[in-house]
Amino acid sequence: FLGHESYITFCHLENEAAFTCSADHTIRKWDVVTGQCLAIYRGHTSIVNRILVAKDYLFSGSYDRTARCWSVDKEKQIQEFRGHRNCVLTLAHYSSRDVLEEEEEEEEEEEKVSRDLLVTGSTDCTVKVWWVSSGRCYQTLLGHTGAVLCLILDAPNRELFSGSTDYTIRTWNIVTGEQLKVFKEHQGSVICLELVNRHLYSGSADRTVKCWFVDTGERIQTYKAHKHSVSTLKYHAGILFTGSGDACARAFNSRSGVLQKIFRGHKFIINCIQIHNELLYTASHDGTLRIWDIRGICKRSKRRLKKERSVQGRSTQKGSLSRLFNNKVGCMVQQENGE
């Protein structure tokens, strides 16, 4: 996928299209099969750091201190979100229907037309929540003492997780804005987050990934082997995929922490990884998006998951659930194909 005039900062896959944003101030939409550029979104006046596609919306955050909302099909800007004192580095999206009770929704009558909300994290140390329809700031979350680099949302549990250059991960109640918990074991900036079945994975400038059990705050695994900062994470079928400043992507057994595969080919830091149809997409500071075949790794992992689930099923007949958790037996995630 060639066309950007500078390095790619992030990639988002949606159906058969890939969206990339770049230091050239633009966002591009690509046909995944042909590599053809289908659309260019122009309007930001500085580096576009992050993009997110939700429904028919495309959201973006930039060094120009704004976040923006675009119509995916019309290539047209719909809304602009201004209020951060510095660059917008990370985004999350949800609907108030997912988190608000009916009586709480009634208080927001002016937003009845659209209940979509955008969450932004900035180098001004704040997290802001915005109504998409009006561009109005709903609330500002204060607590971090460094730039907010990453966000991940658990709407059913009304929780938002944020990672920062202050070396911490913080958990917030997305409705009240209350800070719930602080995770403090990293020795460097927390750059990326991934949440799977109440297990939170965090990648850091300290060259490690840590796995936390959200409900207790306990760290249950550390993944090493990176030669530079961990810049991006993605969990898939029992495998934790990571991208690093050492220009390599890696695949770890998520439960044991064992390194299974290293993907070499990029020349600079990997800014984003995505997985679609058993293919791994890696976007890099070298200006390229590469596609890797991971069917073999996924197949072996699914067989192992199936075997572990069978063993776990027999074990539960002999011990209590609390005993299993004390022994750090992981919860299995049922895949879409039923395995």
Side-chain angles (χ1 to χ4, degrees), residues 138-182:
Y138 169 58
Q139 61 183 1
T140 300
L141 309 182
L142 303 173
H144 280 296
T145 57
V148 180
L149 303 182
C150 49
L151 297 168
I152 195 157
L153 186 68
D154 182 1
N157 289 293
R158 296 183 165 201
E159 290 178 344
L160 176 73
F161 301 86
S162 57
S164 169
T165 57
D166 64 13
Y167 299 5
T168 70
I169 305 159
R170 294 171 191 258
T171 311
W172 313 83
N173 181 305
I174 196 64
V175 177
T176 66
E178 176 189 3
Q179 184 176 289
L180 304 175
K181 199 179 276 117
V182 182

Side-chain angles (χ1 to χ4, degrees), residues 1 17 35 46 53 59 69 84 104 165 167-168 173 227 229 233 253 260 265 284 294 307 321 329:
F1 299 88
S46 188
V53 178
F59 297 98
C69 176
H84 281 295
E104 292 173 312
T165 57
Y167 299 5
T168 70
N173 181 305
K227 297 177 182 177
S229 301
L233 291 172
N253 179 309
Q260 294 185 325
S284 168
I294 56 171
K307 184 178 179 181
L321 186 62
V329 175

Side-chain angles (χ1 to χ4, degrees), residues 94 96-97 100-117 129-131 133-134 136-139 175:
Y94 69 100
S96 64
R97 289 189 185 93
L100 296 177
E101 302 292 341
E102 286 186 15
E103 60 271 18
E104 292 173 312
E105 284 194 19
E106 288 175 3
E107 297 175 6
E108 304 295 343
E109 278 298 326
E110 67 183 270
E111 307 297 342
K112 280 287 186 180
V113 178
S114 173
R115 294 185 175 92
D116 292 288
L117 292 111
V129 184
W130 314 79
W131 289 107
S133 59
S134 64
R136 181 173 65 87
C137 183
Y138 169 58
Q139 61 183 1
V175 177

